[in-house]
Amino acid sequence: MTAQAQQLAGPLSAAVASLCANLQPQVSPATAAGFREVLRRLSAPLQVAVAGRIKSGKSTLVNALIGRRVAPTDVGECTRLVTRFQYGTVDRVEVVFTDGRKQVLPFDPAGMIPADLGVDIARVSHVEAYLTNAVLRDLTVIDTPGLGSLDAASVARTEALLAGEQALDPVSRNAVAGAEAVLYVVTQGVRSDDQQALAAFTAATASREAGPVNAIAVLNKADTIAAETVDGADGDTWKAAVLLAQRQARTLKPRVADVLPVIGLVAESAETGGFTSADADALRKLALLDEATRDTMLMSADLFAAWECDVPAGVRARLLEKLDLYGIRCALQALDAEPSITAGALRRKLLDASGLEGVRGKLNAVFRSRADGIKAAAALASVTALAAASGDAAERQRVHNAIEVLLAKPEAHQLRLLEALTLVASGAVAMPPDLAEEVLRFGSSPDPAEQLGLRGRPTQELVAHALERAGWWRSFASFGATPAQSRVAHVVHRAYFLIWQQLRGRR
Ligand SMILES: Nc1nc2c(ncn2[C@@H]2O[C@H](COP(=O)(O)OP(=O)(O)O)[C@@H](O)[C@H]2O)c(=O)[nH]1
Ligand SMILES: [Mg+2]
């Protein structure tokens, strides 16, 4: 019933799938079973894990992305479990136990996964949520309890999920697919051990390092940033968030493609129907208060909740819960500018202020548009790992040969490029910083101009630059590079050559 007739993401996934299918009769039953699992994953939507510290707002962001308030936030045992949100034809929640048993759960009256499951949580592997939401058709979102938290059991569960094949018992291994891409949630001030958490996480992601190809980060809770503490922000919270995100990008790159500011809470309320017309009416009343009263109330959440005013305290508490002070301020500004604004248009303003569209755009640019390559690379890594784990030397050789043949094909260039990016991003192949940056630009965007680092420049200049760099990388590959660098350089040369060819045709 849970099986979905999914299509392969593209030609690269198809190539790896046929490699698995061809090898299957030639390998031991254990390896063949592994290949079957790889095939199953290849035809499933891209698996994106939302990772980060506990309480960084992961579940809130998951709700915003799915467009439905379905993941419990804040408290409850469910926030300590891994939950996979995937497409289904009927909304359904299943608890999967470590022994493979499954139990269907009802949604709670609010339509959410119950915060407390009413089962022995120690025996739960994870939760599967099947939802009819269109967003999930080509993206499976995995909500994780959080790394770097003090709750050892949650950390162990997260690590087990992410390590996929190695750490799980055979039954849950089938149920829990490793993540292929990561959305990393940080809040103000990435601590040095966040880098470590990210490294630990990415090392486990589908048994390969994450890099700019399959990892992006968001600076969540941007509304809570004290603008006056950020140089150059001119007291503007969003500007401060953008500057901080840029600073964090310098710390976290090249492990992530980019860091984008977002206000998950406001995004969730705007996107899931949490923000209602009753809320809009309450805000309308607040907007009419005299300026001095308003300013005082907006000084702190306590003042906002406790001040004497016509809007009932309970209603104000609800506004705080849904929007926090910053979101309320945004809404009041929108009402000042346009007193007759409709509830729907106000919701839209809040969505714009939340930065969610930017995150969606990045998800599309980095993950969705490259799902084929990401899935194929993850599958190849699994195939390699399966071969390495085989006790049979001849079998190992047979698998390696098949991979070599696949990678040598011209159409596998994209796969080799992804591999090269990953090697450079992880430091497995050392490159001088300027060259590393140049290589990693190929992972930053599918747009040739951006890959060349020449956004907005005329085509003629792009063509000339691509040709020049193609030549440079070819000579670097032959002279002056270590053997490992040389292999990367050949791939980079070809990438420039292909861009040159493509752009030349466009002139
Ligand atoms: N002010 C503010 N609070 C947020 C934001 N995102 C999440 N929160 C709150 O942070 C708390 C933890 O969120 P949750 O999603 O459960 O975090 P998780 O443990 O990482 O899944 C909840 O009370 C959320 O309402 C945000 O962007 N701004
Ligand atoms: Mg959570």
Side-chain angles (χ1 to χ4, degrees):
M1 187 166 63
T2 61
Q4 296 160 39
Q6 281 283 339
Q7 288 180 352
L8 291 165
L12 298 172
S13 297
V16 179
S18 69
L19 175 138
C20 288
N22 292 340
L23 281 170
Q24 232 164 8
Q26 306 173 40
V27 294
S28 67
T31 310
F35 283 2
R36 265 198 301 282
E37 178 59 18
V38 173
L39 279 167
R40 194 188 59 77
R41 284 192 200 177
L42 263 173
S43 55
L46 186 71
Q47 315 275 305
V48 181
V50 180
R53 287 174 187 284
I54 202 145
K55 293 237 175 294
S56 54
K58 296 178 296 298
S59 302
T60 306
L61 198 60
V62 165
N63 289 334
L65 286 170
I66 298 176
R68 174 169 164 185
R69 196 161 149 66
V70 63
T73 53
D74 240 357
V75 286
E77 58 190 19
C78 212
T79 64
R80 289 186 275 130
L81 290 172
V82 168
T83 307
R84 291 163 39 86
F85 296 92
Q86 53 189 306
Y87 185 75
T89 47
V90 183
D91 287 353
R92 190 174 83 252
V93 184
E94 260 175 28
V95 181
V96 181
F97 294 93
T98 47
D99 64 5
R101 227 164 23 87
K102 293 177 181 176
Q103 184 180 324
V104 175
L105 282 188
F107 288 90
D108 75 7
M112 296 179 68
I113 298 173
D116 292 292
L117 301 177
V119 300
D120 179 5
I121 194 169
R123 290 188 297 119
V124 174
S125 159
H126 66 284
V127 176
E128 299 271 8
Y130 298 89
L131 302 172
T132 52
N133 298 48
V135 186
L136 297 174
R137 270 185 193 273
D138 49 4
L139 221 57
T140 290
V141 180
I142 307 170
D143 189 11
T144 68
L147 294 162
S149 67
L150 294 172
D151 178 353
S154 311
V155 174
R157 261 188 232 106
T158 307
E159 282 172 352
L161 167 91
L162 300 171
E165 351 217 314
Q166 295 86 20
L168 293 173
D169 60 278
V171 184
S172 357
R173 186 190 305 153
N174 290 335
V176 183
E180 294 159 326
V182 191
L183 177 64
Y184 196 72
V185 181
V186 296
T187 48
Q188 186 171 14
V190 177
R191 293 203 291 259
S192 62
D193 58 338
D194 246 332
Q195 261 283 18
Q196 272 168 29
L198 184 54
F201 177 91
T202 57
T205 309
S207 35
R208 69 199 192 109
E209 290 273 346
V213 170
N214 63 348
I216 58 182
V218 293
L219 168 58
N220 193 27
K221 305 198 180 183
D223 59 319
T224 62
I225 293 167
E228 62 279 8
T229 62
V230 179
D231 277 347
D234 307 325
D236 181 304
T237 303
W238 188 256
K239 212 164 168 186
V242 170
L243 288 169
L244 269 186
Q246 281 166 2
R247 208 179 292 165
Q248 294 185 334
R250 286 197 285 278
T251 311
L252 293 172
K253 272 182 182 173
R255 295 211 170 271
V256 301
D258 213 343
V259 183
L260 297 172
V262 73
I263 306 171
L265 182 67
V266 172
E268 183 194 47
S269 298
E271 278 298 78
T272 63
F275 179 74
T276 61
S277 52
D279 295 326
D281 290 341
L283 285 162
R284 228 182 282 284
K285 269 196 198 150
L286 288 167
L288 295 174
L289 293 173
D290 67 273
E291 204 173 320
T293 308
R294 236 173 79 170
D295 286 351
T296 311
M297 287 180 73
L298 288 173
M299 276 188 335
S300 78
D302 287 341
L303 279 169
F304 183 81
W307 203 259
E308 288 287 326
C309 99
D310 283 352
V311 178
V315 173
R316 280 180 276 153
R318 201 179 63 207
L319 283 176
L320 276 176
E321 233 169 73
K322 291 180 185 178
L323 301 175
D324 216 339
L325 268 189
Y326 180 86
I328 293 170
R329 265 193 221 110
C330 285
L332 291 179
Q333 272 162 19
L335 279 159
D336 289 344
E338 195 186 337
S340 63
I341 190 170
T342 63
L346 196 52
R347 184 199 70 82
R348 180 70 222 183
K349 291 269 184 213
L350 288 168
L351 178 64
D352 290 345
S354 75
L356 186 71
E357 292 299 350
V359 176
R360 284 225 175 95
K362 203 71 187 178
L363 280 172
N364 283 333
V366 177
F367 294 164
R368 214 172 286 216
S369 73
R370 274 190 293 205
D372 184 31
I374 295 173
K375 292 195 71 74
L380 259 195
S382 297
V383 169
T384 307
L386 285 167
S390 156
D392 181 344
E395 174 174 305
R396 218 160 32 228
Q397 194 56 48
R398 214 173 298 135
V399 176
H400 278 300
N401 291 347
I403 293 176
E404 286 299 310
V405 170
L406 173 80
L407 288 178
K409 291 184 181 154
E411 44 301 3
H413 163 74
Q414 203 54 36
L415 213 45
R416 290 198 302 276
L417 182 60
L418 291 176
E419 195 60 33
L421 285 171
T422 306
L423 289 171
V424 172
S426 66
V429 174
M431 284 275 178
D434 53 332
L435 291 186
E437 200 186 316
E438 187 181 342
V439 172
L440 294 172
R441 255 202 315 264
F442 282 102
S444 63
S445 155
D447 173 35
E450 298 236 355
Q451 293 182 338
L452 296 172
L454 296 173
R455 179 164 47 170
R457 309 294 306 168
T459 308
Q460 203 149 8
E461 187 180 335
L462 305 183
V463 172
H465 185 75
L467 189 61
E468 190 268 318
R469 294 318 289 159
W472 190 91
W473 281 92
R474 196 181 39 204
S475 29
F476 180 60
S478 319
F479 314 105
T482 65
Q485 286 176 337
S486 177
R487 273 193 297 280
V488 170
H490 275 296
V491 177
V492 175
H493 154 74
R494 177 136 190 99
Y496 276 119
F497 173 78
L498 290 173
I499 288 187
W500 173 73
Q501 231 180 10
Q502 179 195 346
L503 291 174
R504 204 181 42 151
R506 238 193 244 170
R507 268 195 308 183

